[in-house]
Amino acid sequence: MIKDSAPSAVHVGVRIDAPIRFELSSPSIPGSAGDAPVTFVGVSSPRLTWRISAAPPGWHQLGSEVEVRYPDGSTQIARLDGDDQILLDWPFRPLQSRDRAELRVRVSGPGGWSPWSPPAAVEASLLRSDDWAASWITPVTGADPSDPAPIIGTAFEVDSGLIRARLHVTALGIVTPRINGYLVSGDHFVPGWTTYDRLIRFRSYDVTTLLHEGDNQLSALVGNGWYRGRIASLPIHRGRPYGDRLGLLAQLELEYADGRRVTIGTDDEWRTAPSRILANDFYDGQTTDLRMPAAPSLAAPVERLDDETGRLDLAVAPPVRELETIAPATLQDYADIVIADFGRNLVGWVRLRVTAPAGTTVVVRHAEVLDDGELSVRPLRSAEATDRYVLAGGANELLEPELTYHGFRYAEIAGLPPGSLVSIEAVTIGSDLTRTAWFECSDPSLSQLHQNVVNSMVGNFLDVPTDCPQRDERLGWSGDIQVFAPTASTLFDVSAFLGGWLDTLALDQLPDGTVPATVPRVFPKESALAGWGDAAVIVPWVLYQRDGDVGILRRQYASMAAWVERVRTLAGDELLWRGGEQLGDWLDPLAPPDKPAAAQADPDVVATAYFFHSADLLALSAGALGMTEDAEHYATLAARIRSAFSRAYVQDNGRITSDCQTVYALALAWDLIDDAAVRSRAGERLAELVESQGFTVATGFLGTPLVLHALTIAGRTDHAYRMLTARAFPSWLYAVDLGATTIWERWDSLLPDGSVNPGEMTSFNHYAFGAVADWMHRTIGGLSALAPACRTVRIAPVPGAGLDSSRITYDCPYGRIEVGWRIVDGRFELEVTVPIGVTATVELPDGTHIANVEHGHHAFAADVPVVLATA
Ligand code: BGC
């Protein structure tokens, strides 16, 4: 066996803990013109991860060597013992701003050393505030959000011998930079949304190939975005923009072969002009007069902005990009309007090509659903979601917005003369996350439900995790992402995205530890809300579990502890968090449409359950960080809360106060009941309730993610399956049967007769109830992690509900895990693929356990108990 492990059979790919993932290519000097994309990092000591893509059976890593090569050709090797391959600390001298390096790795195992991996290139961006020579600038006129979006730019000369050029750019607003008319990147809405007076991100680009010897131009279109749009100034939000004046900060750095470095930074010599984008707002849409020049001559003055802005950090999350283009499923051509149905609910905009006379005004409106054949715009509330174009005339004119986005499935296009529409498609956008999990099974409704979860996630991961993408809201509601984080972090790699969001959460946290209901914070008054504020603890914990990154716990620890301490104060000596304003089990299906917080679950029970859970996770986090004293302290606190919870709310017969699905879900999923007999009676009571409710859902935002897990813990996976596959309202498949393509905000966003729910909040794209996908992955798919990053996993699919097959794929940090099962003639057949570095325990439905399943492809079989096959 060992003999086979010829070193050359081990293949290693190296990754750098950096914002951009890339395929490793052949060796090259990073950063010179024509190179593969550069990976910029915003820290001096990036961490390293590698995947070993192939090795003989039984092989395991015993040690590794990392080689760094600097641009001057010098190299250094760090030799490391052991089997670590995830997020290793940088073993070399820290990088300084603009430093470049190339890395490769080889690993040793039984049989010797592997060959070297292909190299990965890294470049430190601007790491210190004094690296910025540029100044913030703004047009002298144009302090009104309804003014045209300005273009700000400069002309400059490039000499011969340019070898490298970097653009570092950010804005107070959203910016699209261009060099010589070419887009610098496909990124949209840079720099994203943070609490700008504390933290503002920038992006770095390799722009070498966009420049030429001689005269060049750099220009930047700046829109209102989050900074100055209605999302900030809506009276119930901040009531005012972050600032009245848009700002641009750009620094172009040129490097010549002879060693000369030239920096061109924003200053008061730059010039500006209004663009042809006359109005722009995320909620309301964009108005564009195409008769005006795309690149007006920049003549108006700019001035320096003295406003203090927050810390400047390199953006580490994937940028917002175009993801897909979608042709309409149907196009209804009425006399004066065209209605396009894109076949699914999506986030982005409509791209049209038209040939019509100059001066024609084309109006594009958007909606998620139709009501009587017309766009149903009531759910958008005050968001106009309308793009307007005045045509320049000419063939195949391109109409698409740059500074807005919409959530829609249907678009109505008005003002087109007959026969003038050349083409139409929808462009979907979102943060360009890497997909990491896929699910399919033999029931097409469940596969559709899973797809709907993915669709809602894609549409709402737009720089911040938003509640919804369409109405006058689109905020980073902390409770929504708290419940959805386990699912989100399975479906996509969200480490940098949510890690970045958590930076803002900590910055926005109130001095007393209260976590804002939305991050970035928009509401003037905040109070501690169970389930929402707990995002401060639960989201970092979930990321740590997924990525094995103890660093996220280290960074967030003070914020996590501050939240738990805040609740401890509110809970008093009794350790029961009672009273106060709570959102509770938001959108319980029995709550009246206009009272979304009026849940069956007693908010006090929910609040103390969350208090326990956060204290418990804080104790575990302290343990993972080696903070023994804190770990003991919070473990004791958690144990005391748990006793207090049982004394106050749990009876010996297992009944929990308010006796509804959600309270049992929380208590069982989080192990809140000490006494095993009482716990098992609580499980029976949950099963009883679920059955008496005809297997329909009776949970809101907080109970829904846990109710199926709780049934599984209670040994009633059969009931969980019946709930998941129930079709009567309220259920997950109710929406699927009504044609949903995304997860709805309400169990009945669409009423059974197809009309739109009359509630004031009715979104068709809210991911919270999609948190059920986590159970689908773990129980149907059968994969759960037993240790962070899936170092050890449990593979234990439980067939049910008549399903005869399922397959999941999950790219964990070590590599790809696949679990596929099918039932053939009463036999359960399981195939699993385990990557190098992961050890699995496999459990078959007949009770067989197989321990220590190592990397490779494995097949198992068992007889299926009849009850599971038909549950
Ligand atoms: C949002 C939710 C959010 C809730 C809490 C709603 O308007 O869309 O998803 O969590 O408010 O109040």
Side-chain angles (χ1 to χ4, degrees):
M1 186 62 86
I2 299 291
K3 267 204 169 140
D4 285 348
S5 359
S8 62
V10 179
H11 296 284
V12 190
V14 65
R15 290 191 311 161
I16 296 164
D17 177 22
I20 304 165
R21 274 167 201 284
F22 52 99
E23 289 298 316
L24 295 162
S25 52
S26 50
S28 59
I29 298 297
S32 51
D35 270 354
V38 181
T39 293
F40 291 100
V41 293
V43 291
S44 52
S45 300
R47 292 168 304 166
L48 302 172
T49 291
W50 53 87
R51 283 184 184 177
I52 303 163
S53 50
W59 186 92
H60 56 278
Q61 180 186 310
L62 294 170
S64 53
E65 279 186 354
V66 183
E67 184 198 71
V68 65
R69 173 182 296 269
Y70 297 106
D72 64 5
S74 63
T75 61
Q76 207 185 325
I77 288 185
R79 193 162 194 166
L80 310 162
D81 288 332
D83 57 2
D84 285 351
Q85 58 180 103
I86 304 293
L87 296 165
L88 273 81
D89 286 337
W90 182 252
F92 306 109
R93 65 174 148 84
L95 299 168
Q96 308 292 316
S97 299
R98 307 177 184 88
D99 274 357
R100 289 174 294 119
E102 214 179 69
L103 296 147
R104 51 183 200 154
V105 172
R106 62 178 191 149
V107 293
S108 71
W113 286 95
S114 74
W116 287 100
S117 71
V122 62
E123 178 169 330
S125 179
L126 303 185
L127 304 183
R128 299 153 46 109
S129 53
D130 59 12
D131 291 325
W132 288 89
S135 310
W136 282 103
I137 54 170
T138 188
V140 170
T141 57
D144 194 305
S146 61
D147 289 330
I151 297 175
I152 306 172
T154 193
F156 57 96
E157 261 189 44
V158 173
D159 296 340
S160 68
L162 181 77
I163 53 164
R164 197 169 293 116
R166 301 289 183 255
L167 176 66
H168 310 285
V169 63
T170 185
L172 300 173
I174 47 175
V175 62
T176 312
R178 286 180 170 81
I179 288 182
N180 297 321
Y182 294 105
L183 286 170
V184 161
S185 74
D187 302 355
H188 291 270
F189 309 155
V190 172
W193 193 9
T194 50
T195 295
Y196 300 108
D197 53 0
R198 300 196 174 153
L199 168 68
I200 187 159
R201 302 201 197 277
F202 66 94
R203 293 221 174 248
S204 296
Y205 300 102
D206 176 359
V207 294
T208 319
T209 55
L210 296 178
L211 296 167
H212 49 244
E213 202 180 317
D215 294 336
N216 289 265
Q217 280 183 338
L218 168 58
S219 70
L221 170 70
V222 187
N224 292 322
W226 296 277
Y227 185 80
R228 202 175 69 162
R230 279 216 301 130
I231 196 165
S233 58
L234 203 69
I236 62 158
H237 295 174
R238 293 168 43 90
R240 62 197 158 79
Y242 285 90
D244 293 327
R245 308 189 64 179
L246 299 172
L248 174 69
L249 181 72
Q251 185 158 307
L252 177 66
E253 301 189 352
L254 310 178
E255 201 182 325
Y256 290 95
D258 59 9
R260 254 181 323 134
R261 286 174 181 266
V262 176
T263 298
I264 296 148
T266 36
D267 64 18
D268 48 17
E269 299 290 305
W270 288 45
R271 289 291 174 260
T272 184
S275 73
R276 59 189 186 172
I277 299 176
L278 305 184
N280 71 94
D281 186 81
F282 281 157
Y283 289 166
D284 294 336
Q286 179 174 316
T287 299
T288 316
D289 188 343
L290 295 161
R291 294 170 303 183
M292 295 169 61
S297 67
L298 307 181
V302 301
E303 60 191 2
R304 286 177 207 255
L305 257 186
D306 292 328
D307 286 7
E308 264 301 296
T309 58
R311 179 180 98 208
L312 278 167
D313 272 0
L314 182 75
V316 290
V320 174
R321 293 216 175 101
E322 292 181 21
L323 303 175
E324 268 185 279
T325 52
I326 297 179
T330 64
L331 211 51
Q332 304 274 359
D333 205 342
Y334 300 98
D336 49 349
I337 54 167
V338 171
I339 293 196
D341 171 4
F342 291 99
R344 70 173 172 88
N345 206 13
L346 56 89
V347 175
W349 53 75
V350 177
R351 177 184 285 153
L352 299 164
R353 287 206 178 260
V354 302
T355 302
T360 308
T361 298
V362 176
V363 180
V364 186
R365 300 194 309 138
H366 307 78
E368 296 187 293
V369 287
L370 296 181
D371 213 356
D372 250 351
E374 294 193 3
L375 297 193
S376 173
V377 291
R378 182 179 56 79
L380 305 179
R381 301 197 302 217
S382 76
E384 279 183 35
T386 302
D387 295 331
R388 296 183 176 81
Y389 305 90
V390 183
L391 305 191
N396 301 334
E397 208 170 344
L398 174 66
L399 316 188
E400 78 175 316
E402 269 181 87
L403 300 175
T404 192
Y405 73 95
H406 313 287
F408 64 103
R409 170 174 170 164
Y410 300 92
E412 179 204 272
I413 302 117
L416 279 178
S420 57
L421 181 62
V422 179
S423 70
I424 174 168
E425 60 189 8
V427 178
T428 71
I429 61 155
S431 287
D432 195 5
L433 305 169
T434 302
R435 181 89 184 256
T436 46
W438 294 262
F439 169 93
E440 61 188 75
C441 72
S442 55
D443 179 343
S445 302
L446 293 184
S447 298
Q448 180 67 48
L449 171 65
H450 190 271
Q451 184 57 48
N452 293 357
V453 179
V454 173
N455 292 346
S456 277
M457 174 165 173
V458 170
N460 279 300
F461 271 60
L462 201 149
D463 199 72
V464 299
T466 60
D467 57 337
C468 58
Q470 73 300 80
R471 66 175 176 232
D472 56 358
E473 196 151 358
R474 314 186 194 186
L475 305 174
W477 281 95
S478 48
D480 302 37
I481 187 57
Q482 181 271 114
V483 298
F484 191 65
T487 297
S489 57
T490 301
L491 292 173
F492 288 86
D493 177 354
V494 292
S495 45
F497 180 99
L498 288 181
W501 181 78
L502 285 168
D503 282 342
T504 306
L505 182 147
L507 290 170
D508 279 353
Q509 211 165 351
L510 275 56
D512 69 5
T514 299
V515 174
T518 69
V519 174
R521 176 182 176 187
V522 295
F523 299 118
K525 274 184 64 183
E526 295 286 354
S527 58
L529 298 168
W532 274 253
D534 295 277
V537 177
I538 296 173
V539 176
W541 176 256
V542 168
L543 293 182
Y544 165 61
Q545 292 298 315
R546 289 292 185 271
D547 307 323
D549 180 10
V550 81
I552 189 76
L553 297 180
R554 194 172 298 121
R555 261 169 46 207
Q556 296 305 124
Y557 190 78
S559 153
M560 298 164 82
W563 168 251
V564 171
E565 291 300 335
R566 171 68 188 141
V567 180
R568 183 216 269 272
T569 306
L570 292 168
D573 293 342
E574 283 181 287
L575 299 178
L576 296 172
W577 182 7
R578 285 193 280 223
E581 207 186 301
Q582 291 288 3
L583 297 171
D585 192 24
W586 187 253
L587 286 171
D588 175 322
L590 295 187
D594 58 341
K595 289 200 172 60
Q600 300 163 75
D602 182 329
D604 291 348
V605 177
V606 170
T608 297
Y610 264 98
F611 179 28
F612 164 75
H613 188 49
S614 279
D616 190 31
L617 296 185
L618 182 61
L620 296 172
S621 303
L625 289 168
M627 302 165 72
T628 336
E629 249 177 59
D630 273 31
E632 277 169 25
H633 171 77
Y634 286 112
T636 308
L637 175 65
R640 289 178 53 218
I641 304 168
R642 186 204 231 182
S643 308
F645 180 89
S646 278
R647 271 199 307 277
Y649 302 124
V650 187
Q651 298 171 30
D652 286 347
N653 63 5
R655 292 281 170 118
I656 301 178
T657 304
S658 69
D659 192 34
C660 59
Q661 290 183 14
T662 290
V663 290
Y664 294 101
L666 301 177
L668 292 166
W670 294 341
D671 200 10
L672 259 154
I673 306 173
D674 228 354
D675 184 305
V678 178
R679 194 186 321 132
S680 115
R681 287 195 284 275
E684 284 161 24
R685 179 59 187 156
L686 172 62
E688 221 169 81
L689 278 174
V690 164
E691 188 164 359
S692 69
Q693 284 156 337
F695 300 99
T696 56
V697 174
T699 50
F701 272 29
L702 302 186
T704 299
L706 302 174
V707 66
L708 300 191
H709 288 308
L711 284 166
T712 293
I713 289 166
R716 298 312 306 261
T717 297
D718 53 340
H719 273 32
Y721 263 114
R722 292 188 70 168
M723 272 187 97
L724 182 69
T725 52
R727 311 199 94 96
F729 171 77
S731 65
W732 284 280
L733 296 188
Y734 165 84
V736 170
D737 286 344
L738 282 175
T741 57
T742 37
I743 301 297
W744 297 346
E745 176 173 31
R746 295 173 180 271
W747 290 110
D748 57 351
S749 285
L750 220 51
L751 302 180
D753 65 4
S755 62
V756 176
N757 186 298
E760 194 241 356
M761 303 170 332
T762 304
S763 145
F764 292 86
N765 205 349
H766 247 71
Y767 48 59
F769 292 150
V772 70
D774 186 49
W775 184 87
M776 296 167 78
H777 287 259
R778 284 167 190 255
T779 310
I780 306 178
L783 177 66
S784 38
L786 296 176
C790 283
R791 188 62 147 167
T792 54
V793 296
R794 174 172 182 250
I795 294 178
V798 184
L803 292 186
D804 48 35
S805 69
S806 148
R807 167 167 295 277
I808 56 163
T809 303
Y810 176 52
D811 287 338
C812 80
Y814 293 93
R816 177 158 290 188
I817 303 177
E818 283 174 304
V819 183
W821 59 264
R822 50 192 195 139
I823 295 175
V824 186
D825 300 332
R827 287 279 290 168
F828 175 84
E829 295 177 355
L830 175 68
E831 288 188 49
V832 305
T833 306
V834 177
I836 296 159
V838 174
T839 304
T841 297
V842 175
E843 296 173 27
L844 302 178
D846 66 358
T848 314
H849 280 226
I850 305 108
N852 295 323
V853 177
E854 303 278 338
H855 66 264
H857 185 82
H858 312 272
F860 308 89
D863 289 327
V864 199
V866 176
V867 56
L868 289 179
T870 56

